[in-house]
Amino acid sequence: MHVYGQRLEDLAALVVLGLLAWGALWWASGRHRAWRRAFVAANALLSGVAFWGVLSHTVLGRVPTGEHVFVLMMDPSHGEFVREMFMNALLYLPLGLALSAMVGPWAALVGLMLSVGVETWQYLAGTGTAQATDVVCNALGCAIGVVPWLCVRMRTDSEDGR
């Protein structure tokens, strides 16, 4: 089923479980070299899966309609307005989390660039409605995904006496 069709509660639970698993793997990576390699490999794999997930839900498999539509945002009175904004942020959160472990806070910029690319493609190819709020929510979701890495980094730096 398409991610946008999922219940918000189910997706939120999945995000919490993912964050807990990421945190546990990070914790273990500080204890043993083999776990450190597993942490790096897991983040590389998750980055690829997250990137594929973004493309598969936004670009791939969509049929061009010939209509090139750009709107600032969906009509706020539409019943799905808040849900769509939340789902757009949630779609990019795993990318920010996994990618930040490899490139640090630059992951937020990568998420922003990917979102701009997706919305541009949707407009140029006529495969969907390009929305400015999608870019904002996607970038915000990616940036929120970077926060756990920042917390880990600050804690690690303070333990190392930096």
Side-chain angles (χ1 to χ4, degrees):
M1 176 182 269
H2 200 273
V3 71
Y4 291 105
Q6 297 291 323
R7 292 178 356 140
L8 288 177
E9 299 83 11
D10 295 342
L11 291 172
L14 203 65
V15 166
V16 168
L17 286 173
L19 287 170
L20 290 173
W22 186 87
L25 193 54
W26 165 78
W27 181 82
S29 74
R31 307 301 184 258
H32 195 272
R33 182 178 298 270
W35 282 105
R36 175 71 185 146
R37 286 192 297 270
F39 182 69
V40 170
N43 280 291
L45 178 64
L46 181 57
S47 292
V49 168
F51 184 75
W52 176 257
V54 165
L55 292 181
S56 69
H57 285 73
T58 59
V59 174
L60 302 176
R62 290 194 179 186
V63 178
T65 62
E67 292 185 37
H68 306 284
V69 181
F70 174 81
V71 295
L72 186 58
M73 66 182 186
M74 175 193 287
D75 179 8
S77 65
H78 188 276
E80 291 289 305
F81 178 73
V82 173
R83 176 184 168 79
E84 183 178 313
M85 291 179 68
F86 181 77
M87 296 302 274
N88 275 308
L90 193 60
L91 182 63
Y92 277 68
L93 192 145
L95 181 66
L97 178 67
L99 204 53
S100 65
M102 296 186 309
V103 299
W106 291 103
L109 181 60
V110 171
L112 172 65
M113 291 174 15
L114 177 60
S115 182
V116 168
V118 163
E119 295 303 315
T120 301
W121 175 260
Q122 287 179 342
Y123 176 78
L124 294 175
T127 59
T129 300
Q131 296 183 50
T133 51
D134 285 0
V135 173
V136 171
C137 292
N138 295 157
L140 180 62
C142 199
I144 290 169
V146 173
V147 169
W149 176 84
L150 288 172
C151 293
V152 164
R153 182 65 188 238
M154 288 187 320
R155 183 164 185 223
T156 303
D157 287 350
S158 69
E159 287 174 356
D160 290 345
R162 293 183 205 173

